[in-house]
């Protein structure tokens, strides 16, 4: 592992000055308590409390992404739009990757009002469609090469929660295709331009927007396509988010040689169109406590711009690395992780 990617505690190497040991210990304990109790920690209350703890890392410096380029999938609403806005405010050129190009152009216009002078490009791509992913990656690569540019940040935010089991054009369960297979295929196809950034500048950053709901699901090694059990939308969503998180060590090792770091984060409970439409009961009860999209996107933006870059291959919430399992029944073995990766690689035509 390269030295500059070592994760440092907030207060070291450019973050907030470290307070005395007692205050630091209390801050860590309160942060952990918020995380384990879920309800307060995942709401806007949890974020507000953490922002006042001595353990909270410094914000990225203004202009910290000037001269850099970033890609955000699912950029037309909710966390995707908020992430794009946050990256643009730090100076990045942002590629908005969307399924609906007209809607993408409307969002681009809204973002330009919020961030005058921002450099924003709209690209059409259905992340669940592996053929479309490869087409898009080839077109973006051609553009970047023509501009003698590279890609510094990828945020895989596109998400779905279909009400019944449905499949992608290649026949994969739609949640799996959108949250796992499409993002891995897109990153692999764009590895050369990411690697150029990693070699010429700082490490390139890949961020997977996951979900705290993954804590309730074990890794579905024997049924990744959710074809055996009765299909439940929320469970399908959480299962694929568990896969994202469990593949982090594998992907970190796979891409580290090219100085491409990969992280996953979950936003807590955020007020987004997807939550309102897919989980109406949950939304109705929790709405007063939900985070704004900007609050939910905060850690994704921070991971894209933090300096030095955090240690690759970790799972984050509110700018802190978190455990990947809280329940004994959801713990994953190295063997199961390897089996699942071999299956994914086989579906994508990759060498494991």
């Amino acid at each position: 592992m390269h030295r500059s990617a070592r994760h440092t505690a907030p207060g070291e190497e450019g973050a907030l000055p470290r307070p005395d040991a007692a205050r630091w210990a209390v801050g860590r304990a309160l942060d952990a308590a918020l995380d384990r109790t879920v309800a307060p920690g995942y709401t806007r209350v949890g974020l507000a409390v953490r922002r006042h703890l001595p353990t909270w890392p410094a914000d990225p410096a203004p202009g910290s992404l000037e001269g850099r380029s970033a890609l955000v999938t699912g950029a037309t609403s909710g966390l995707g739009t908020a992430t794009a806005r946050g990256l643009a405010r730090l100076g990045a050129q942002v590629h908005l990757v969307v399924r609906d190009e007209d809607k993408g152009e409307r969002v681009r216009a809204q973002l330009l009002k919020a961030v005058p002078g921002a450099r924003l490009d709209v690209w059409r791509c259905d992340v669940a469609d592996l053929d479309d992913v490869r087409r898009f990656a080839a077109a973006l690569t051609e553009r970047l090469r023509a501009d003698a540019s590279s890609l510094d940040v990828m945020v895989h935010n596109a998400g779905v929660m279909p009400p019944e089991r449905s499949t992608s054009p290649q026949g994969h369960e739609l949640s799996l295709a959108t949250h796992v297979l499409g993002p891995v295929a897109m990153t692999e196809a764009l590895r050369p331009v990411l690697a150029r950034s990693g070699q010429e500048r700082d490490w390139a950053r890949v961020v997977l927007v996951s979900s705290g709901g993954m804590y309730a699901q074990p890794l579905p090694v024997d049924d990744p396509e959710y074809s055996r059990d009765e299909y439940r939308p929320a469970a399908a969503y959480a299962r694929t988010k568990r896969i994202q998180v469990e593949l982090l060590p594998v992907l970190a090792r796979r891409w580290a040689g090219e100085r491409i770091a990969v992280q996953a984060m979950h936003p807590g409970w955020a007020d987004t169109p997807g939550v309102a439409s897919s989980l109406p009961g949950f939304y109705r009860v929790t709405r007063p406590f939900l985070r704004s999209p900007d609050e939910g996107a905060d850690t994704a933006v921070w991971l894209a711009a933090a300096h030095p870059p955090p240690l690759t291959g970790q799972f984050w919430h509110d700018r802190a690395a978190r455990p990947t399992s809280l329940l004994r029944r959801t713990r994953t073995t190295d063997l199961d992780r390897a089996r699942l990766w071999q299956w994914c690689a086989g579906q994508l035509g990759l060498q494991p």
Side-chain angles (χ1 to χ4, degrees):
M1 187 60 60
H2 67 109
R3 288 191 297 274
S4 65
R6 180 181 64 87
H7 176 58
T8 56
E12 298 178 2
E13 298 188 33
L16 293 172
R18 181 161 181 164
D20 62 84
R23 288 184 63 229
W24 182 265
V26 170
R28 288 179 66 91
L30 181 54
D31 174 63
L34 286 168
D35 191 58
R36 301 306 186 274
T37 51
V38 178
Y42 286 17
T43 66
R44 63 193 316 166
V45 175
L47 179 61
V49 171
R50 286 187 174 111
R51 285 186 181 277
H52 289 88
L53 295 178
T55 48
W56 184 257
D59 291 339
S64 55
L65 293 178
E66 286 287 349
R68 306 295 178 96
S69 66
L71 177 159
V72 181
T73 67
T76 53
S77 66
L79 296 175
T81 301
T83 300
R85 183 166 49 244
L87 297 173
R89 283 175 173 156
L90 292 173
Q93 176 182 2
V94 184
H95 301 283
L96 309 173
V97 181
V98 304
R99 285 188 300 173
D100 186 331
E101 207 164 358
D102 291 338
K103 189 174 181 181
E105 290 293 347
R106 291 195 294 272
V107 169
R108 179 179 180 273
Q110 294 169 9
L111 291 174
L112 284 172
K113 291 181 180 178
V115 191
R119 296 170 299 151
L120 305 167
D121 296 305
V122 175
W123 297 82
R124 182 188 60 77
C125 178
D126 181 353
V127 176
D129 184 340
L130 298 179
D131 292 337
D132 202 34
V133 166
R134 294 177 179 119
R135 174 204 58 78
F136 157 71
L140 178 59
T141 298
E142 183 178 357
R143 165 84 69 83
L144 293 172
R145 286 177 176 166
D147 295 341
S149 184
S150 59
L151 183 64
D152 303 280
V153 176
M154 294 182 71
V155 180
H156 292 293
N157 165 78
V160 296
M161 191 186 292
E164 57 188 27
R165 190 181 186 281
S166 52
T167 57
S168 72
Q170 288 74 35
H172 297 294
E173 191 274 317
L174 196 61
S175 296
L176 180 73
T178 304
H179 304 150
V180 180
L181 297 179
V184 173
M186 186 180 292
T187 307
E188 284 285 328
L190 291 169
R191 271 176 79 174
V193 289
L194 287 165
R196 189 184 314 152
S197 171
Q199 297 297 329
E200 295 177 355
R201 301 179 179 181
D202 202 348
W203 279 53
R205 323 276 179 101
V206 176
V207 180
L208 295 159
V209 178
S210 189
S211 166
M214 72 97 201
Y215 279 121
Q217 294 292 328
L219 189 68
V221 180
D222 296 321
D223 186 21
E225 298 273 17
Y226 210 152
S227 56
R228 300 179 187 177
D229 299 328
E230 180 183 357
Y231 187 84
R232 292 178 295 133
Y237 183 89
R239 283 161 58 116
T240 57
K241 296 299 182 176
R242 165 61 70 181
I243 295 173
Q244 285 183 336
V245 171
E246 293 297 347
L247 289 184
L248 285 173
V250 177
L251 298 176
R253 289 191 297 269
R254 184 177 181 87
W255 298 332
E258 294 165 300
R259 293 173 59 87
I260 301 169
V262 59
Q263 316 285 356
M265 57 75 67
H266 81 83
W269 295 344
D271 189 348
T272 66
V275 170
S277 62
S278 300
L279 300 170
F282 171 83
Y283 182 76
R284 185 169 54 253
V285 171
T286 61
R287 185 177 181 182
F289 308 101
L290 295 180
R291 301 177 177 201
S292 70
D294 286 325
E295 290 171 334
D298 174 81
T299 296
V301 176
W302 180 80
L303 286 168
H307 184 77
L311 177 67
T312 185
Q314 296 198 86
F315 182 46
W316 298 80
H317 174 56
D318 283 351
R319 302 191 188 186
R322 306 295 178 182
T324 57
S325 289
L326 301 178
L327 306 172
R328 184 184 299 273
R329 67 180 180 83
T330 65
R331 292 176 185 168
T332 300
T333 66
D334 290 340
L335 178 59
D336 283 346
R337 189 178 294 110
R339 285 178 56 204
L340 197 283
W341 168 243
Q342 287 182 337
W343 182 88
C344 289
Q347 303 307 306
L348 297 173
L350 302 174
Q351 288 295 323

